[in-house]
């Protein structure tokens, strides 16, 4: 395991973070649930290429955002089969503790709305727009 990924996992495990990105001495953390922090980081203009990510849950929506961020490696406690496929197809190394068919929504009553929003999509930029549209729809 590379030093950046080891560092990201360590920070994720010891803090109350949901997501950690590391590259050398640069560290970005988030306590937000869901994909909003990934969207914000992508829109920030910061170059995240080559970063390693440690995340609690990675579904297909988050996987597409990691592709757009151009990270090199992603670790997650839980990763969906579609996320594994998306990251692997985009040459991002992966590690996870548990894989699941699909990510379940927070209330446990069905599938994650973000995972469903990108389920039929294979193009990262289209996925990002679908995620943004779903977030706007949920806010209403």
């Amino acid at each position: 395991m590379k030093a950046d990924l080891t560092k990201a996992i360590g920070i994720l495990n010891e803090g109350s973070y949901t997501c950690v990105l590391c590259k050398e001495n640069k560290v970005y953390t988030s306590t937000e649930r869901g994909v909003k922090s990934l969207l914000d980081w992508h829109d920030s203009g910061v170059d995240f290429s080559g970063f390693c990510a440690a995340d609690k849950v990675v579904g297909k929506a988050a996987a597409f955002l990691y592709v757009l961020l151009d990270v090199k490696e992603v670790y997650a406690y839980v990763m969906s089969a579609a996320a594994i496929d998306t990251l692997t197809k985009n040459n991002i190394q992966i590690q996870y503790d548990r894989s699941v068919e699909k990510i379940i929504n927070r209330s446990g009553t069905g599938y994650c709305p973000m995972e469903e929003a990108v389920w039929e999509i294979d193009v990262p930029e289209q996925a990002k727009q679908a995620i943004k549209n779903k977030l706007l729809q949920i806010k209403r």
Side-chain angles (χ1 to χ4, degrees):
M1 195 179 323
K2 295 178 184 61
D4 290 333
L5 186 62
T6 301
K7 182 177 180 178
I9 293 169
I11 294 168
L12 181 71
N13 287 336
E14 68 192 29
S16 56
Y17 302 112
T18 54
C19 181
V20 179
L21 297 180
C22 289
K23 182 178 179 184
E24 297 161 0
N25 63 343
K26 298 175 191 158
V27 177
Y28 293 82
T29 60
S30 176
T31 56
E32 292 186 71
R33 293 177 71 181
V35 297
K36 187 174 180 329
S37 58
L38 299 178
L39 273 174
D40 291 345
W41 286 334
H42 186 256
D43 290 341
S44 72
V46 173
D47 181 7
F48 287 100
S49 59
F51 273 69
C52 290
D55 202 325
K56 288 192 173 184
V57 178
V58 175
K60 189 174 181 181
F64 274 126
L65 294 173
Y66 282 123
V67 169
L68 290 170
L69 286 167
D70 195 28
V71 301
K72 67 178 180 180
E73 204 163 354
V74 176
Y75 161 83
Y77 296 155
V78 177
M79 191 176 288
S80 74
I84 292 167
D85 185 56
T86 299
L87 293 167
T88 303
K89 280 181 181 174
N90 286 279
N91 300 311
I92 296 174
Q93 295 177 24
I94 58 168
Q95 293 183 41
Y96 51 87
D97 292 339
R98 186 167 62 103
S99 79
V100 295
E101 181 186 340
K102 279 186 168 182
I103 303 301
I104 302 298
N105 65 24
R106 292 178 190 164
S107 60
T109 58
Y111 294 121
C112 167
M114 295 302 135
E115 184 114 324
E116 288 187 323
V118 300
W119 195 251
E120 299 294 327
I121 296 174
D122 290 317
V123 179
E125 284 295 341
Q126 290 175 0
K128 181 181 176 188
Q129 191 56 54
I131 293 163
K132 285 185 168 189
N133 292 344
K134 181 56 83 172
L135 285 171
L136 286 172
Q137 183 184 5
I138 290 171
K139 280 186 178 180
R140 290 186 199 149

